[in-house]
Structures are given as C-alpha cells and as structure tokens.
Amino acid sequence: MAAPSAAEQRWLRAARDFARRALPAPDGQEPAALEAVLRCLRSASGGTLPLGYSFISISDLQHQQHIPCCSHLSWSTNEFKEWSYQGQGALPMQSTLPRTYLILVGYLTDERQGNKEKLVDGCLYVKDNTGIIPCELLHFELEWLESLFVFPSWSYIPQTDQSAAGYLEILVDPVPVGAPKEVLHSIPITSPVSAEPLLTSRIPCKKRSKLTLAGKLTRLGPLLRVHHKTFFFLFLKCFASAACVPVLVQRPSQLVWHHVFQLGHRYTITGLIKSSLKKSGQTMFVTSVSSCLLPYCAEQVREQPLKSAWQGESTQSSFLETAEELSCSMELGAAEEMPRSTKESKIISYVGFVTKILNVQAGLFLLDNQVCLCLAYQPLLNFAQGLRPGACVELIDVHLLQKPLVSFPFTVLGACLSSMVVLKSFSRLSTPYQPLASSGNLCLQLLFRFNLGMPLYLWLVSLLEMFEERFSCFFGHHRLRSSTHRNPGAAEKFLVPLLQAMVPDSEEARDIYNEILAKIHQCPLQKYLTLNPPCQAPSLSTVCRVAEQRSWEGFSPSQLLSPLEAQHMGTQELNRRLAWSYCTLSAGSFQPQLILLGVLRVSSRTSSLQLQDKSSTLPCVISHKDGSPFAHTALIGSLLQVENYQLVVERFLKTDFPSWEHLENLKHVREKKTSVYVQFYFEDVQVIHAAEGQIQKGLRSGNSSSLRKKKDGSTTYRLETPEAKMLKLEDPKADTGRDENCQGGQSSTRTTSCVSHLFLVTQKEGLMSRNYQLPGEEAKEAQLKELQHSFQATVLWLGRPCLWGHPREIGNLPELEETGCNGEEGVTQQEALLLFMGKSLRWFPFLHVDGLYRFIVPCCSDLEVFDKLCFPPVPATFLNRPSCPLCLPVQDSWYLQHETWTSCLPERQLTAVSMLTGMDQRTSSIPEVLSSSFTGSLVSFCGEVMERTLCASPKNEKPPVTVGLPKQKGTLLSRDHSVKLSVSAAPGSPVVMDVYITATYLQHLRGLLPGAKILFQNLERKISRFHNVYCTYIASSCVSIVSLPASHLPFPSRGDAPDTILHVHHKQE
C-alpha cells in the first residue's frame, strides 16, 4: 500500500484532533472510533478519503456559521447544480443554499440537557462532545437512536436572530458507524378488528393485562403538551376491515416514535393497556413502560386469540393515574357563538410548496403563492423547523375555508387536531429559520383564551401585525407583547377589549380529546361566517390621506356660500371667502370604525402636540371636559388609543372666480391644499403603554414623593431620571433607528443629581418672532437683526431651588409648605420672564396660566443655576427698576413637569399662593368687555365661537413682522388675511364679540372652529370709528381651547352611507 501523501497526512492529523475533541468514546478508544468513521467516509467517497472536506464539531457549526449552508459529501459539482436548479422551481428569485465542504459526525438522540436533568420533548438532536443541535429527518428508524453516524448530506439553518442557534436538516439517511441493532422475532399480536370490541364493551380481563396490537397507521396526531405532559395519539386500522382503534403514547422515552410513524405503513405495538377518559368516558389503548414499537412483518408475528389476551377484571382502576391526567381538558376560554347563516368548511388533502412565511408566530404560511396554511389550531410542526420557503408539505384532512375574512386575500387551509401535516421535502433555498416563540405568544394565547374561529383569528393577527409594525420602533417587540396576569402589555390592552366585544360570554371550552377521538368530528374550524371587521386602526399616514380624500369628495365651492350673500360679493371678497374652509370627520364617519393610535410627542418646530407612529405624525388638540387646559407632561412618550374624536381637515383654495355665477366651474380653482389634525378630550383617551411606571398615579393624584434632609439643611427629593424623560420629548424621524433611544431612555434607572424649581405661571404670551438680545451677544450685530421664533411667560418662583437625588417621583409640594410657614417673612416674591426658544418651544402647549410647574435641570447640583442664567430685559443704563422681572432663557435640556392647578390646592396652600401673587381673577365676561364703561386695553374672556370668517385685515391693523417664521404646512393663506371669530357668551345669546386674528398667527392656533369654547387672554380691546367694540390678537395674546365643538354639526350628514359619509362641510361666512 502506497504511503499517504503530505496532504493526506495533514488531513489525518486534523481528523485525529477532531476525534479527541468531539467524538464521544472511552478514554484511549478514540483511534478505534476514528477508524470506524474513516471506513464510512471511504465507503461514501468511492474508496478514497474526502481530502477536500474538513471535520466540523457541533459547537463550531453553531458559533461560526451565520448563514444557511449545505454539505454533500459524495456529490459532484454537476449533481449539486442540478439539485439547486430543481429547488428554485417554486421561488425562482430566491438564491439556493451555498455549498460548504464540511464533514458532520455525531450521535442521534432524543434527549437534551435541562437545568438539572435530561429532558425528552419529542424532538431529535445530533450531539457530540462539544454540543447538541436540533435536527429534522424525513425518515427515522428507532435503531438509529444513540448510535454514531456520519451525515453525508445535510443543511444547517441558523435562526433569523443570529444570537440563537439554528437546526439541521438531514437530507439523506445517515450512515451508521457501528453495526445495526438486532430486532425481535416472533411476536403474538391482536389485530384491530379483534381489539376494537374491547374499547366499546366491558370484557373482563386480567389485572394489568397487556396487549400487542398490529395494524396500518391511518392517522397520526400532533405532539401535544398539556399541564407539563407531552403526548400524542395514533390510530391503527385492521388490515382487512375498517376497524380502527386509538392509541395514546405519553411515556417520555416513547415520544420519539412520532418521528418513526409514516402514514399507511404497518406497525406492531406491544404492552398496550386499556384506559378511558374520566370526563367523557372515551376509551383507548395506552402504551406502558414495557411497550415497544416494531415494524410489522407477517413472517415474524402470529395472531393471538382475543380470549387468551383479555381475561379477569377491568383495567380501569389499575390505570387511574393516566385516566385522571387525560381527563383535564384545556380550559381555553369562551366559545364563539355561531350565527344561523354559517358556512361548513370542507375537509380536503393538499400537497404544496411553502412560498412565503406570512407570520410564523401566528402559524400562517403561504403555499404555492395562493393558499394560506394555518397551523395555529394544532402545535406547529417541531416549532416550525423545516417549514421554510421552498419546502414541500402534505396536508391530510385539513379544513378549507373560503374568504373567512373580507380583508384577507387568500383561501385558508386550517389544520385542526385531527389533521396531519407531513414534511415531504426540505427547502433547497437559502432562507433563514424563523422560530416559533414557545412562550409569550400573544396570538396563540388569545386564540385559546377566547376559542376564536378562523375569521376572528385572522382579524386578530392582522391587528397585531399592524400594531407592531407601527410602534415596535418606539418600544420594541418584546415591550409591546410582554405581559403578566396583573399587568397586560400594550398589545394585549389594545386587542382584548375588541375581542371581548366580538365573542359572547360562554363557559364552553375547547375539548381537545373529543376533537381527536370523537366519531363525529367537532372542532373550531368546522363552521365559519365571513367576517367584516368591526373596526380598523390604520397608520397615521393612511388616516391623513383618507381624511384628505374625504374632504374633497363631492366638494364644490358653491357649498361654502349661500346664493343670497354670494351674489352681492365682489371678485376679491368672493375668492377670499373661498380661500379657507374645513370639514370634520368623526370615528363613525368611517366604516369600519376607525380607532386612532399614536405615541404622544411634542414638536419644538411647530410647538404642537402630535400623535406619532412609524409612518407619520398627526397634530392634535387635547382638552378636558371640565374646561381645564391639558398640561399632562407625564404623558409624553405614552401610547394612546382614542375612539371618540374629531378629525379636522382645513382646506385651502387659491381661486380666481370672476363672479358667483361661475362657482360650479372648477377650472377657476388654481391650487388646493389641506392640513389635517385631530381633537379629542383627555377623558376619552386610553393609555395602553405608559411612558412612566407610575404615570397613572401621577395623572390623577399628583406624584408620590419622599424627601430627606441633608446635613447642610438643604432638601433632597427623589425624581425620575431627567435624561430618561428628555429622550421622549422630541418627535424624531419615523425610522427604526430610534428604537434603541426610546427603549434606553424609558428603561433608564441610573441615579443622577438634578436641580428643580417650582413656579406659578401668571401670564403666557403667544408664539411669534421676537428680537432677543441675550447676554454675551452685544457684539454680534448680525443677531441684532435676526428674529427668533419664540414665546414668553411671566412666572412667580415658589420656594427655593431644590436638589433631587434618586429617580423617583414626588407627590407633595414642599415649596408651598415652606411658603405657607414663612410666606410673610422669608420667601421673596420673585418674578421672572421665561424666554422659550429653540427646542424649549416644545413646552408651549403644556404651559398655562394658573398652573404650577417645576423646571428640572438634569445632571446638575448647582442650586444657583437659575440665578446665574438670568439677565435684565433691557440694559441697566436705560431702565433700572427693581420690580422689573429678570429674563431667564429656558435651556434645551431642561424638563418641564406639571404639578397641579391653583384651583386644586388645599385651602392652606391656596391662601399662601394668593398672598404671594396678590392677583384677582382677571377674566371678564363678554358683556363687560362690550360695555362702554370698560376701561382696560388688554382683556381676557371666554366664549363660544359662533362663526368663523376669512376677511381682509382691518385697515388700521398692520400685520406683524414674520421674518424667519416657518410657514404652516399646506396653507395658502396670504399674510394680509385675517380671520374674524364671532364669539358669544352662551349659545343663542345675541351678545357677540368680534375677534380678529391675522393669518400669521393662525398656523399655531388649531381648534378655532364654530362650536368650540375658547379662553382668550390678553387680547387688545379696540373701538371702531362706528363705536363698535372688537378685539385683536397681538403678540402678548394667547388662546386655550376650553371645550370642543359638539360631534354633530348644524347641517345633517348625507345619510348612513358606509364608505362615503362625511360630516357636512361647515359653511364659512
């Protein structure tokens, strides 16, 4: 024999190293094990060693191979190309598995190592000394168990999540390294036709008598796990008749039989015992500890008479443990009520290729690009191992459901517990493995809890997919799905009420044993009714697009003006009156009903509240039903659900109609745009994912606190980490990159010091461009001319700045306690003018007069931080008045926290605040403002908007400077336009005040609609030359929406048309 070459010697050295490290063998016997492996390799490779291949251990395969691959030991290049080409038939655009040149050697086993002991779960594994990996085989023999094999052809499929290991697909039968095991010879058996009467009669038998049964496999049930017990059923049929008997296999060592059984093959099972379900009385045969599974061979068996096998007493009492275990039906929740006009599903068999994984967690797979396979009603085949695009599956006795859900595009094949799903061939495509979540699977949990039929289940899946698609970039999939019994997750909070409204209460439960064993088949898939979803929750971009489309449907400019007033208008006035109109849409305007979902954000660019999802943002106006302003800063970053709301579409037209007679001729409409926002009450909001752990407590009763005194006498409080709050404020771009920021910010628990200061807002001014000269910028002449978008508020500091220690909320207001004790003695009445610019503009919608707020400066321990940033409003050479408040520019990193309203303070604290402010109620009534005896120039009043009209600005009004002011998206209003609001003190009251607001301010003033109740603050009162009193909105003015318009508008809607109904376009005058 020729000496081995240098290449062969190197290869053999590597093989010996592999054998010492990976092959399980007694000490000193690794060479013998290696020689046996080498003999197998020479046999598989035509007598030579495969020097082009290298050995790989299980551990190296799992940790080094991150993409799907395959290895074929004896194949030529042409054979591999032909194999790959054939695998692309169903999916020609998919790439095939790349070939690697690796040798896999290991033991086949059905055991894996648990925390303390070995576990048997019915799955197969390949193991060596370095590790263990799950595997799938199309053919398996019992004698292969715990034997050493060379695997000549296999694929490794890693998980989509590369942090977890994948599994093996064994493409051809493995080659045994050792000699095959011996098989039993002559065995006495009983045929199913003789055994069937035992299950239907009370034939006496010997205590613990056991039976050997032979027959053809007609049905194999899935592996089930109930109450921590794994088992499966099989049905054996007589060779010569229709007699068929069920057999239960539940012994851990026998679960591997599930991989051996093949439909239509003949088998012999020994050591069977008769048993029955305690609840239903259904009988079956159950395997015992001594039971064996053998292939049926007529020459090796002899039929035993029935009377010699079963004599004596019944075995029911001797097998009581099993009967009690099986009597526990799965309590899966309420049964779905079946309407009269239900459809009957057809039971068929089908063979097809998996072409797409629709949703592995929901058990939905697309076959042949046209049929949906649903495996949710039975456990997924080995956790969906092998069910990759390109794999071929055979479905036996599955339910065919046509159009179960109106919005679902595919016919559905549903597998119940009596169906069989058989993997016929593995995929040859390079598609990763998407594993089924064994725990925390919300789809399956809700399916079982409510015992859903297929239509409701598909609707549930579509809602959950939409929910995760829109919000996982904010909170992450785990955060949305994770829930406990007492603390349901966001997705569960959203879905459960919808299902409860659809599924009536019932005590019926899904009886899985009856579903498998009953002569007349019963399962949740038998009957169904096509479901038209009762509600929808589309993305915010879709909401805006549909609202814009609805606002123009059937729209005509002639709808906005009555003929009587239009015919008296000149061309300029006519086109101006058409320039701005609106329509509103409620949730009931959409069929199915539209539910709004969004994360509450606040934009520093537009200074507005927004609902946001991955697709877009939707500006919003939030009010309280009691008339108090919305100021819940703790809601920022929370996921909100709103079912009662008004979508407002502001329509802007640029037209050149020559006269009212041409209003039907739309060619005079030169340009049109829209702006969409939503308004709703806070009381109609459901927080389905809170940004803070204690948000609900904070919203209702203030924040809980603990404080302690430091040695130096200063006070330290416990507060949530300010950095965590800051990360939730802005409205970042809708992309997946923000996921990490959102999660990291909300879960931060790092302790940090920060300084806070409590203050009371006494005056708030509106948004506009102002010319601020900040300290240190005197020499910057360029900045003297630059206007900055800003707003300002006059506040009264309460107490002294405090140092906060730990990330926990506070509840009481210790500054007010100090004020109450020494209000007249030590606490100075210090006012400040807060300047909000840049990112601090985000606080505009939260800041309101008579509100108590707290500024929080993160990562700071300097109690003088507020004093150091203050500066006088004008140079001291021009004005030196001690009473003039100092200016404080609010920094971008500061966090604003709303505490309470002065009206909500206890009497003692309210007295202390009143003593410091010394201010009386400054809100007047409309009749008072209209009175000739009224002397004030700046007025505040509250009233309901009766009419909104676009007009030219009064001749004596000069539009404010707007340099650098961002223009509102979608608006076409000219800056010399004004809106006239006719405001009444009460509905139907003849006393009306006209308020003029120039178009420059309108882009920040949403919600100014007829029917809305508005609080106007610091308007300028004027008297016309005709001695009529009116008010104008100026730089120091501000408005707050006290109540929203009623959901119904003055004009009736166009009937109850399901898809086209709008609330009528409101008439603008």
Side-chain angles (χ1 to χ4, degrees):
M1 184 175 179
S5 64
E8 185 175 344
Q9 289 179 356
R10 286 194 299 272
W11 190 90
L12 288 172
R13 282 197 297 271
R16 285 191 288 270
D17 291 341
F18 167 79
R20 282 193 296 269
R21 185 168 62 94
L23 287 186
D27 292 340
Q29 296 187 20
E30 292 89 353
L34 178 60
E35 281 302 319
V37 170
L38 295 180
R39 282 196 300 270
C40 291
L41 293 177
R42 288 191 179 95
S43 175
S45 304
T48 61
L49 291 174
L51 301 184
Y53 289 75
S54 58
F55 290 92
I56 187 167
S57 66
I58 300 297
S59 176
D60 290 343
L61 182 65
Q62 291 174 318
H63 292 92
Q64 297 177 11
Q65 189 66 34
H66 301 300
I67 61 173
C69 66
C70 64
S71 180
H72 305 280
L73 189 60
S74 60
W75 287 13
S76 65
T77 301
N78 290 335
E79 287 174 322
F80 173 72
K81 287 182 178 179
E82 178 65 21
W83 178 82
S84 300
Y85 176 77
Q86 292 174 358
Q88 288 184 302
L91 296 167
M93 302 305 294
Q94 286 278 3
S95 60
T96 57
L97 285 166
R99 185 178 185 179
T100 58
Y101 297 87
L102 300 172
I103 301 173
L104 186 66
V105 181
Y107 283 80
L108 277 173
T109 181
D110 63 343
E111 296 179 340
R112 62 182 176 89
Q113 187 64 46
N115 294 331
K116 296 181 179 179
E117 57 184 11
K118 290 187 177 181
L119 302 177
V120 177
D121 54 9
C123 296
L124 289 174
Y125 302 87
V126 176
K127 69 175 182 180
D128 62 12
N129 279 348
T130 66
I132 187 169
I133 186 172
C135 69
E136 287 293 317
L137 298 93
L138 301 179
H139 170 238
F140 178 73
E141 302 289 346
L142 274 183
E143 56 265 25
W144 294 357
L145 208 59
E146 303 302 332
S147 297
L148 183 62
F149 288 92
V150 172
F151 298 91
S153 187
W154 51 272
S155 300
Y156 174 65
I157 312 299
Q159 288 193 22
T160 308
D161 179 9
Q162 294 186 2
S163 63
Y167 73 99
L168 290 172
E169 295 176 349
I170 308 302
L171 305 179
V172 300
D173 286 353
V175 178
V177 173
K181 297 179 181 179
E182 295 184 0
V183 296
L184 297 178
H185 294 287
S186 180
I187 305 169
I189 65 160
T190 301
S191 69
V193 69
S194 302
E196 187 181 31
L198 297 176
L199 300 180
T200 57
S201 64
R202 294 184 174 274
I203 300 177
C205 59
K206 297 178 181 178
K207 190 175 182 180
R208 294 191 176 274
S209 294
K210 296 178 182 179
L211 178 75
T212 297
L213 191 65
K216 184 169 71 173
L217 183 71
T218 59
R219 180 151 59 98
L220 177 65
L223 280 168
L224 300 174
R225 184 171 178 82
V226 180
H227 301 305
H228 308 289
K229 187 81 172 180
T230 306
F231 58 92
F232 66 92
F233 287 90
L234 61 99
F235 293 80
L236 291 179
K237 177 182 172 296
C238 178
F239 302 136
S241 71
C244 186
V245 295
V247 178
L248 170 64
V249 180
Q250 63 174 353
R251 302 290 175 182
S253 61
Q254 298 163 1
L255 296 179
V256 72
W257 294 3
H258 199 269
H259 298 273
V260 177
F261 287 115
Q262 297 187 53
L263 199 65
H265 287 218
R266 299 182 175 189
Y267 297 97
T268 301
I269 304 178
T270 67
L272 295 177
I273 304 173
K274 178 186 173 184
S275 185
S276 64
L277 293 176
K278 184 177 181 181
K279 184 177 181 180
S280 63
Q282 291 166 315
T283 55
M284 72 210 71
F285 290 108
V286 182
T287 59
S288 63
V289 177
S290 61
S291 295
C292 295
L293 172 65
L294 304 168
Y296 175 80
C297 182
E299 293 79 13
Q300 296 179 346
V301 299
R302 52 186 174 83
E303 187 166 353
Q304 183 181 18
L306 180 64
K307 60 182 180 180
S308 63
W310 294 83
Q311 291 180 354
E313 299 182 7
S314 170
T315 63
Q316 185 169 349
S317 60
S318 66
F319 207 68
L320 183 61
E321 177 185 356
T322 301
E324 289 178 346
E325 291 169 355
L326 292 177
S327 66
C328 299
S329 296
M330 294 176 70
E331 297 298 327
L332 301 179
E336 180 185 357
E337 182 181 6
M338 292 295 180
R340 294 180 181 178
S341 57
T342 55
K343 303 177 185 178
E344 194 85 23
S345 62
K346 297 180 181 179
I347 296 181
I348 67 169
S349 295
Y350 184 90
V351 178
F353 285 90
V354 179
T355 50
K356 185 179 181 180
I357 298 177
L358 297 176
N359 189 324
V360 70
Q361 303 306 327
L364 300 180
F365 303 83
L366 187 62
L367 304 183
D368 301 327
N369 289 319
Q370 60 183 359
V371 181
C372 172
L373 169 62
C374 177
L375 297 179
Y377 291 84
Q378 69 163 237
L380 281 187
L381 190 65
N382 294 339
F383 303 102
Q385 289 176 183
L387 292 179
R388 298 186 297 116
C392 179
V393 292
E394 180 181 4
L395 310 176
I396 303 168
D397 295 339
V398 291
H399 293 262
L400 173 67
L401 297 89
Q402 296 183 342
K403 207 65 178 175
L405 181 68
V406 169
S407 57
F408 195 70
F410 305 110
T411 297
V412 180
L413 296 177
C416 68
L417 295 179
S418 293
S419 306
M420 290 184 60
V421 181
V422 182
L423 190 62
K424 301 297 289 184
S425 67
F426 293 117
S427 173
R428 305 176 187 185
L429 304 176
S430 183
T431 52
Y433 168 48
Q434 299 181 29
L436 169 73
S438 57
S439 62
N441 191 318
L442 187 60
C443 284
L444 300 185
Q445 287 175 2
L446 296 179
L447 167 69
F448 296 144
R449 186 193 307 180
F450 293 97
N451 197 12
L452 300 176
M454 183 66 74
L456 273 177
Y457 179 67
L458 293 178
W459 181 54
L460 161 70
V461 172
S462 67
L463 287 176
L464 184 57
E465 287 177 340
M466 171 280 308
F467 190 83
E468 292 188 330
E469 168 65 19
R470 293 175 59 188
F471 302 112
S472 61
C473 58
F474 294 91
F475 309 107
H477 288 277
H478 176 74
R479 198 179 277 263
L480 290 178
R481 285 176 177 253
S482 63
S483 60
T484 61
H485 177 67
R486 294 186 177 180
N487 186 26
E492 187 173 349
K493 282 184 180 179
F494 169 61
L495 294 170
V496 166
L498 301 179
L499 294 177
Q500 288 173 335
M502 295 293 294
V503 180
D505 292 334
S506 173
E507 294 184 359
E508 288 187 44
R510 183 181 175 189
D511 189 339
I512 63 170
Y513 305 108
N514 190 58
E515 188 174 324
I516 297 172
L517 299 172
K519 296 290 185 181
I520 301 177
H521 181 58
Q522 295 179 355
C523 78
L525 302 179
Q526 265 187 305
K527 297 180 180 181
Y528 68 101
L529 178 66
T530 299
L531 176 67
N532 197 352
C535 62
Q536 56 180 324
S539 65
L540 293 180
S541 62
T542 301
V543 171
C544 293
R545 176 176 52 81
V546 171
E548 290 173 351
Q549 291 174 352
R550 294 285 189 92
S551 70
W552 297 114
E553 286 177 1
F555 171 77
S556 173
S558 61
Q559 296 173 341
L560 303 178
L561 300 171
S562 68
L564 289 178
E565 61 176 344
Q567 60 186 344
H568 298 294
M569 292 181 181
T571 300
Q572 187 176 10
E573 184 182 3
L574 175 68
N575 288 288
R576 182 171 56 242
R577 294 286 291 274
L578 298 175
W580 190 25
S581 62
Y582 77 97
C583 75
T584 61
L585 304 168
S586 68
S589 301
F590 302 90
Q591 291 298 327
Q593 178 184 347
L594 194 151
I595 298 175
L596 281 182
L597 294 171
V599 178
L600 185 66
R601 298 277 178 171
V602 56
S603 170
S604 59
R605 186 179 62 85
T606 62
S607 303
S608 64
L609 293 171
Q610 298 175 340
L611 294 179
Q612 185 176 20
D613 64 4
K614 184 179 181 180
S615 68
S616 184
T617 59
L618 178 62
C620 58
V621 175
I622 308 177
S623 298
H624 280 274
K625 291 183 178 180
D626 63 2
S628 61
F630 176 78
H632 296 304
T633 53
L635 267 181
I636 298 174
S638 298
L639 180 54
L640 308 184
Q641 175 179 338
V642 190
E643 297 186 30
N644 189 16
Y645 57 85
Q646 288 180 336
L647 275 174
V648 182
V649 185
E650 302 277 9
R651 296 177 301 213
F652 302 95
L653 292 177
K654 183 178 287 187
T655 60
D656 57 4
F657 289 101
S659 71
W660 69 276
E661 297 172 332
H662 298 81
L663 289 179
E664 299 298 333
N665 189 352
L666 297 182
K667 72 177 185 179
H668 294 287
V669 178
R670 300 303 182 192
E671 190 177 359
K672 60 183 183 180
K673 289 185 178 181
T674 55
S675 177
V676 184
Y677 64 93
V678 65
Q679 50 189 19
F680 50 86
Y681 286 111
F682 172 72
E683 288 77 7
D684 294 326
V685 170
Q686 181 183 1
V687 181
I688 58 177
H689 184 85
E692 320 300 344
Q694 297 182 344
I695 183 172
Q696 299 301 325
K697 180 178 179 181
L699 290 177
R700 287 170 173 77
S701 59
N703 304 317
S704 63
S705 76
S706 65
L707 71 153
R708 54 187 174 85
K709 290 286 184 179
K710 296 178 69 176
K711 293 181 180 180
D712 58 4
S714 61
T715 308
T716 300
Y717 307 100
R718 298 178 182 269
L719 178 71
E720 182 197 20
T721 311
E723 298 94 320
K725 294 184 176 182
M726 292 303 302
L727 287 170
K728 293 172 295 199
L729 301 182
E730 283 300 316
D731 47 333
K733 270 191 170 182
D735 57 30
T736 54
R738 68 185 164 198
D739 182 26
E740 181 178 352
N741 288 339
C742 291
Q743 294 185 59
Q746 292 177 6
S747 62
S748 175
T749 57
R750 182 172 59 88
T751 300
T752 181
S753 61
C754 49
V755 174
S756 78
H757 205 173
L758 187 72
F759 62 88
L760 170 69
V761 179
T762 59
Q763 181 179 338
K764 175 188 175 184
E765 299 185 6
L767 285 162
M768 67 170 295
S769 293
R770 292 179 171 85
N771 185 7
Y772 286 126
Q773 182 178 333
L774 301 181
E777 296 182 340
E778 293 83 0
K780 299 180 181 179
E781 296 182 2
Q783 290 195 7
L784 294 178
K785 298 180 181 179
E786 183 179 347
L787 299 178
Q788 299 189 59
H789 192 39
S790 62
F791 79 96
Q792 59 191 34
T794 304
V795 304
L796 181 69
W797 295 117
L798 299 177
R800 301 180 180 87
C802 302
L803 184 66
W804 300 59
H806 299 281
R808 199 170 77 184
E809 301 288 350
I810 68 163
N812 55 6
L813 300 172
E815 294 90 343
L816 294 186
E817 299 298 330
E818 296 174 9
T819 302
C821 296
N822 341 321
E824 298 182 6
E825 300 177 8
V827 178
T828 58
Q829 303 180 28
Q830 183 182 5
E831 277 192 325
L833 183 65
L834 303 181
L835 310 180
F836 294 83
M837 297 169 286
K839 289 186 178 180
S840 65
L841 289 175
R842 60 179 169 259
W843 302 121
F844 180 78
F846 294 102
L847 203 70
H848 301 283
V849 173
D850 292 333
L852 273 76
Y853 298 84
R854 187 184 300 280
F855 268 137
I856 301 167
V857 183
C859 301
C860 178
S861 57
D862 185 0
L863 295 176
E864 298 179 356
V865 60
F866 299 101
D867 295 335
K868 291 179 178 178
L869 291 173
C870 288
F871 65 94
V874 295
T877 55
F878 296 98
L879 180 64
N880 188 10
R881 292 177 54 192
S883 61
C884 186
L886 294 176
C887 295
L888 175 63
V890 178
Q891 304 301 297
D892 292 345
S893 61
W894 292 3
Y895 180 81
L896 180 73
Q897 179 172 295
H898 176 253
E899 295 292 350
T900 186
W901 304 104
T902 54
S903 59
C904 299
L905 290 174
E907 184 177 354
R908 182 166 56 90
Q909 292 182 343
L910 181 60
T911 302
V913 171
S914 301
M915 187 166 48
L916 285 177
T917 59
M919 296 180 182
D920 299 326
Q921 179 59 253
R922 293 166 295 167
T923 302
S924 307
S925 66
I926 291 179
E928 288 175 346
V929 177
L930 291 174
S931 172
S932 58
S933 61
F934 193 87
T935 58
S937 59
L938 294 181
V939 297
S940 299
F941 58 88
C942 188
E944 181 176 326
V945 178
M946 307 305 296
E947 189 177 26
R948 188 181 82 168
T949 308
L950 192 64
C951 59
S953 297
K955 293 183 179 180
N956 59 340
E957 297 297 329
K958 188 176 182 181
V961 180
T962 57
V963 179
L965 189 65
K967 191 174 182 180
Q968 181 185 9
K969 181 181 178 182
T971 185
L972 289 174
L973 295 182
S974 172
R975 284 171 176 163
D976 60 356
H977 285 170
S978 290
V979 64
K980 183 181 77 171
L981 301 178
S982 298
V983 183
S984 172
S989 172
V991 182
V992 175
M993 166 73 75
D994 289 336
V995 177
Y996 291 87
I997 306 176
T998 61
T1000 303
Y1001 297 117
L1002 289 177
Q1003 59 182 290
H1004 307 294
L1005 301 178
R1006 295 184 175 90
L1008 303 181
L1009 304 178
K1013 190 174 182 181
I1014 311 256
L1015 174 62
F1016 298 91
Q1017 294 173 308
N1018 295 329
L1019 298 183
E1020 185 176 9
R1021 181 180 182 270
K1022 294 191 174 184
I1023 303 177
S1024 71
R1025 58 180 176 173
F1026 299 107
H1027 303 288
N1028 294 323
V1029 177
Y1030 67 97
C1031 291
T1032 60
Y1033 189 97
I1034 59 176
S1036 61
S1037 304
C1038 192
V1039 299
S1040 298
I1041 310 298
V1042 175
S1043 65
L1044 305 176
S1047 57
H1048 62 275
L1049 295 178
F1051 299 101
S1053 60
R1054 303 183 310 189
D1056 294 322
D1059 294 321
T1060 59
I1061 181 170
L1062 289 181
H1063 281 95
V1064 150
H1065 314 291
H1066 195 75
K1067 197 172 184 181
Q1068 307 301 312
E1069 311 236 68

